[in-house]
């Protein structure tokens, strides 16, 4: 009986693994694809985030005069992806009375991050709002009563993008600015 079960399991495993073996080369992980695409975007900005040296990277292209789409990446000090996703945003053009403002959002399975601020040719700056996405029903109810939100500030530069991609062995460039996150409390 046990032999029959083991043999059946082995056959089932062989059939399950066959497509992966037949496909040949494995596909790169989604994070790698998004980071590679980010490096080809016409608009690229970067900087440092938090107490630990995490690197924020943003790359995007305009889809029309008021909207843009692209990629967002948060890397650790060893340049490994912590969080990578697709961003969608809106741009309000500059007027003589005010500078251009932009807003973009990145949604992850466990949280969403909204960036609001000023958009200049060389910098993006403003505030980040992070909301956790609760999964269980009771957590959703608690989140509705007392949302789990944190806010912070960001300042990303065009030259900071390339500096953020340098290895951790090098000291960060002066263009790499720190971003601070503040949890909201009642």
């Amino acid at each position: 009986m046990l032999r029959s079960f083991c043999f059946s399991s082995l056959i089932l495993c062989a059939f399950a693994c066959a497509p992966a073996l037949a496909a040949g080369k494995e596909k790169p992980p989604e994070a790698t694809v998004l980071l590679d695409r980010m490096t080809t975007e016409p608009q690229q900005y970067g900087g440092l985030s938090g107490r630990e040296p995490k690197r924020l990277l943003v790359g995007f292209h305009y889809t029309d005069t008021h909207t843009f789409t692209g990629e967002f990446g948060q890397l650790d000090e060893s340049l490994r992806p912590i969080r990578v996703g697709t961003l969608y945003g809106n741009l309000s053009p500059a007027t003589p009375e005010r500078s251009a403002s932009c807003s973009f959002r990145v949604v992850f399975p466990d949280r969403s991050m909204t960036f609001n601020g000023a958009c200049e040719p060389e910098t993006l700056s403003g505030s980040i709002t992070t909301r956790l996405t609760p999964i269980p029903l009771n957590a959703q109810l608690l989140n509705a009563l007392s949302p789990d939100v944190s806010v912070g500030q960001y300042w990303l530069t065009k030259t900071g993008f390339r500096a953020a991609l340098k290895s951790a062995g090098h000291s960060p460039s002066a263009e790499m600015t720190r971003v601070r996150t503040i949890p909201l409390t009642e």
Side-chain angles (χ1 to χ4, degrees):
M1 173 87 171
L2 182 60
R3 238 184 265 192
S4 174
F5 176 74
C6 289
F7 182 70
S8 300
S9 298
L10 184 60
I11 296 293
L12 182 61
C13 180
F15 281 118
C17 295
L21 294 173
K25 213 171 167 184
E26 285 186 38
K27 288 185 179 179
E30 183 180 349
T32 303
V33 171
L34 286 173
L35 288 171
D36 286 346
R37 192 178 323 149
M38 183 187 308
T39 60
T40 65
E41 293 286 4
Q43 303 297 319
Q44 300 171 340
Y45 299 89
L48 291 179
S49 167
R51 291 183 196 114
E52 298 147 17
K54 294 179 187 161
R55 296 138 191 271
L56 293 183
L57 299 168
V58 174
F60 62 87
H61 61 277
Y62 293 100
T63 53
D64 62 33
T65 57
H66 297 292
T67 60
F68 56 91
T69 186
E71 297 77 31
F72 167 85
Q74 184 179 25
L75 309 177
D76 68 9
E77 63 186 14
S78 300
L79 303 180
R80 289 183 303 239
I82 297 171
R83 196 167 276 113
V84 177
T86 303
L87 67 84
Y88 301 96
N90 298 308
L91 174 71
S92 299
T95 64
E97 298 85 35
R98 65 183 178 112
S99 62
S101 64
C102 61
S103 170
F104 58 93
R105 182 178 169 115
V106 186
V107 178
F108 303 102
D110 65 334
R111 70 192 64 214
S112 66
M113 298 173 76
T114 304
F115 296 74
N116 290 304
C119 297
E120 300 293 331
E122 296 298 316
T123 63
L124 299 178
S125 62
S127 65
I128 305 171
T129 304
T130 303
R131 289 187 181 273
L132 297 180
T133 307
I135 302 302
L137 185 57
N138 62 345
Q140 290 179 22
L141 178 60
L142 290 174
N143 195 31
L145 299 173
S146 176
D148 191 359
V149 176
S150 66
V151 295
Q153 296 178 345
Y154 67 96
W155 187 57
L156 307 175
T157 65
K158 283 205 175 257
T159 54
F161 185 85
R162 293 291 169 211
L165 293 175
K166 290 184 180 167
S167 85
H170 296 96
S171 62
S173 158
E175 295 299 324
M176 297 288 287
T177 57
R178 295 226 175 253
V179 179
R180 210 174 103 181
T181 301
I182 307 161
L184 290 179
T185 56
E186 294 186 344

